[in-house]
Amino acid sequence: MAPPNTAKTINGHTEKANGDVGGALEKQDAQVNGEQVKKRRNMLTRTLWTFIMIGVFLTLLLMGHAYMVVLVMICQTLVYREVTALFSLKKSDVGDTESRGRDPWSKTLNWYFFAITNYFLYGESIIYYFKHVVFADANLTLFATNHRIVSFTLYTIGFVGFVLSLKRGYLKQQFGLFCWVHMTLMLIVVSSHFIVNNILEGMIWFWVPASLVICNDVFAYIWGITLGRTPLIKLSPKKTVEGFVGAFFSTVIFGVLWGTFFMRYDYMICPVHDLGVSAWSETLQCDPNPIFLWRDYVLPLPARSLLSTLFGLDITKFSYAPYQYHLLFMSCFASLVAPFGGFFASGFKRAFNIKDFGHSIPGHGGMTDRMDCQFLMGVFTYVYYSSLIRQHHVSVGSLLQMIVSGLTPEQQLELMSDLKRYLEGQGIAVNI
């Protein structure tokens, strides 16, 4: 039998040990509860801002093309800021006093090149899409005819400014910054320019492709948490093959139905000629692109017999719109290629050891985290549309551009005189 003091000592150690274990368990429980509360709070914030973004986006969509253009420009500005912030000049290890401190030209040149790139690209869009306005005004004509030389001059000024700002101890980083800025301009600003052109060609060329990317992302998440077992790519460990494949079929079905619904509205399919129009404008009308017109396909006799037998109806033809075939291609790209824009962004973040590009959107990270796939999809849509769908025909704006930029004032007067004589010969009174 142990002495009383020994028993007390043993009991004391046991109680202390039990107390330490209990305290550790309580601390662990508190940490788990704290993490769960934090996750719930983040989920609520993310959900709230998701609905806010959807509401703002739909509101601007209905308000008109000009508002959507402004939205794209705001998004590209935020993305550009987030990406260029990843590369900053640091104090060199060289002990030269001239190399100490931060290079004063770094941010200035970043935003200077951003501004002149936007000036050039959006100026090109204005001249192309609004010829009927630009070349009917003498002041705007001066802007249009000299736009490219002015843009090049502004770029040259920035280039000279960069060379003059070079400093010993910063040279490698400064040239790295120069390359970084130009790469960012190409990937972000040029892509945004194409997205703006999609909006001006008709809202449907922006709205439907953007919806396809969002749809694919949502379905990839749903199929991934439901059936996902096989990792897809190491850059994004949460992506699964099952989610990727399931999202592909879901997006194709969704894309055809979604696009077919919106192709019925002139507001969605008409190219813009007046930035003042909105979804409630009654004057917005156009001759629709032939791909939006319904056609009938007469079934061959064997197919008629088979379908009539299966459904008990006399089925001889079915209606379709060529746009539906284009929706299939856009849905495939949104499902099979556009996600690699997200994988590219994931590799970027791993390279810089960051979780998100920024904190522009509470609960969602930076704007870059939301726009990574959209840029790739927007460029594809523009290239696909301009190569296979756009109609090239003579317009008043294109003729006016040729007359103003290609004829002398004397030749323009001669053309007006000849055109007047022609119209009067057709019995049309011309008061000039």
Side-chain angles (χ1 to χ4, degrees), residues 403 407 409-423 430 432:
I403 293 169
L407 300 179
E410 292 77 13
Q411 291 172 326
Q412 293 172 16
L413 291 172
E414 182 182 351
L415 176 63
M416 287 181 61
S417 177
D418 292 341
L419 185 59
K420 179 182 178 182
R421 269 198 312 271
Y422 168 77
L423 292 174
V430 180
I432 298 180

Side-chain angles (χ1 to χ4, degrees), residues 130-195:
F130 300 99
K131 295 183 181 76
H132 57 291
V133 176
V134 172
F135 289 96
D137 185 289
N139 294 323
L140 293 178
T141 301
L142 184 64
F143 151 74
T145 53
N146 297 287
H147 172 67
R148 292 183 178 178
I149 188 64
V150 170
S151 299
F152 180 75
T153 302
L154 292 173
Y155 178 83
T156 305
I157 292 172
F159 180 82
V160 172
F162 166 75
V163 175
L164 293 176
S165 72
L166 294 174
K167 285 186 176 182
R168 291 176 55 190
Y170 282 111
L171 293 176
K172 186 174 182 180
Q173 293 188 58
Q174 283 184 298
F175 279 104
L177 175 63
F178 186 80
C179 296
W180 183 269
V181 166
H182 281 71
M183 182 198 73
T184 307
L185 291 173
M186 182 187 71
L187 292 178
I188 296 173
V189 180
V190 174
S191 299
S192 300
H193 165 69
F194 288 136
I195 293 174

Side-chain angles (χ1 to χ4, degrees), residues 110-410:
N110 282 1
W111 291 105
Y112 180 81
F113 283 121
F114 176 79
I116 62 172
T117 303
N118 277 281
Y119 171 78
F120 170 70
L121 293 175
Y122 289 105
E124 290 287 304
S125 294
I126 291 171
I127 295 168
Y128 180 83
Y129 288 102
F130 300 99
K131 295 183 181 76
H132 57 291
V133 176
V134 172
F135 289 96
D137 185 289
N139 294 323
L140 293 178
T141 301
L142 184 64
F143 151 74
T145 53
N146 297 287
H147 172 67
R148 292 183 178 178
I149 188 64
V150 170
S151 299
F152 180 75
T153 302
L154 292 173
Y155 178 83
T156 305
I157 292 172
F159 180 82
V160 172
F162 166 75
V163 175
L164 293 176
S165 72
L166 294 174
K167 285 186 176 182
R168 291 176 55 190
Y170 282 111
L171 293 176
K172 186 174 182 180
Q173 293 188 58
Q174 283 184 298
F175 279 104
L177 175 63
F178 186 80
C179 296
W180 183 269
V181 166
H182 281 71
M183 182 198 73
T184 307
L185 291 173
M186 182 187 71
L187 292 178
I188 296 173
V189 180
V190 174
S191 299
S192 300
H193 165 69
F194 288 136
I195 293 174
V196 168
N197 286 352
N198 292 338
I199 294 172
L200 299 177
E201 289 288 352
M203 197 72 80
I204 199 168
W205 300 110
F206 168 73
W207 166 244
V208 171
S211 301
L212 292 177
V213 171
I214 297 171
C215 166
N216 183 75
D217 193 36
V218 171
F219 276 114
Y221 175 77
I222 294 174
W223 286 109
I225 62 173
T226 305
L227 302 175
R229 297 292 183 275
T230 310
L232 176 65
I233 187 170
K234 292 182 179 179
L235 288 174
S236 298
K238 294 182 180 180
K239 304 293 184 181
T240 62
V241 174
E242 293 81 1
F244 189 78
V245 174
F248 166 73
F249 289 105
S250 301
T251 305
V252 169
I253 296 172
F254 170 85
V256 174
L257 298 176
W258 190 250
T260 301
F261 175 78
F262 285 102
M263 63 174 271
R264 303 182 302 165
Y265 301 99
D266 288 341
Y267 178 70
M268 300 301 295
I269 66 174
C270 288
V272 61
H273 293 288
D274 180 8
L275 289 175
V277 299
S278 68
W280 298 279
S281 300
E282 298 180 358
T283 58
L284 181 61
Q285 293 180 345
C286 65
D287 293 327
N289 191 299
I291 66 169
F292 296 115
L293 301 177
W294 289 94
R295 305 177 185 182
D296 290 329
Y297 176 75
V298 179
L299 295 169
L301 186 58
R304 290 189 221 171
S305 302
L306 177 61
L307 293 175
S308 299
T309 303
L310 289 176
F311 297 101
L313 300 171
D314 185 19
I315 302 175
T316 60
K317 61 183 179 180
F318 70 88
S319 298
Y320 73 98
Y323 178 59
Q324 293 172 325
Y325 294 119
H326 297 296
L327 286 171
L328 290 175
F329 284 102
M330 288 192 289
S331 299
C332 290
F333 187 90
S335 303
L336 302 178
V337 182
F340 282 84
F343 303 151
F344 179 84
S346 297
F348 237 114
K349 290 187 283 189
R350 284 180 175 269
F352 287 90
N353 196 28
I354 56 175
K355 182 180 179 181
D356 296 310
F357 280 96
H359 305 284
S360 305
I361 311 172
H364 290 267
M367 184 61 70
T368 312
D369 298 286
R370 300 278 65 84
M371 294 294 293
D372 45 15
C373 301
Q374 294 288 359
F375 286 128
L376 191 58
M377 187 69 196
V379 174
F380 167 77
T381 302
Y382 178 79
V383 173
Y384 185 87
Y385 172 82
S386 59
S387 301
L388 303 177
I389 299 174
R390 175 189 283 159
Q391 292 181 296
H392 299 278
H393 52 75
V394 177
S395 66
V396 174
S398 60
L399 286 177
L400 192 58
Q401 179 183 12
M402 293 174 60
I403 293 169
V404 171
S405 59
L407 300 179
T408 63
E410 292 77 13

Side-chain angles (χ1 to χ4, degrees), residues 23-42:
L25 291 174
E26 289 178 1
K27 186 176 181 180
Q28 186 177 0
D29 290 340
Q31 290 177 346
V32 171
N33 291 333
E35 291 177 358
Q36 292 177 347
V37 171
K38 185 178 180 180
K39 286 182 179 180
R40 284 197 297 268
R41 187 182 297 114
N42 290 339

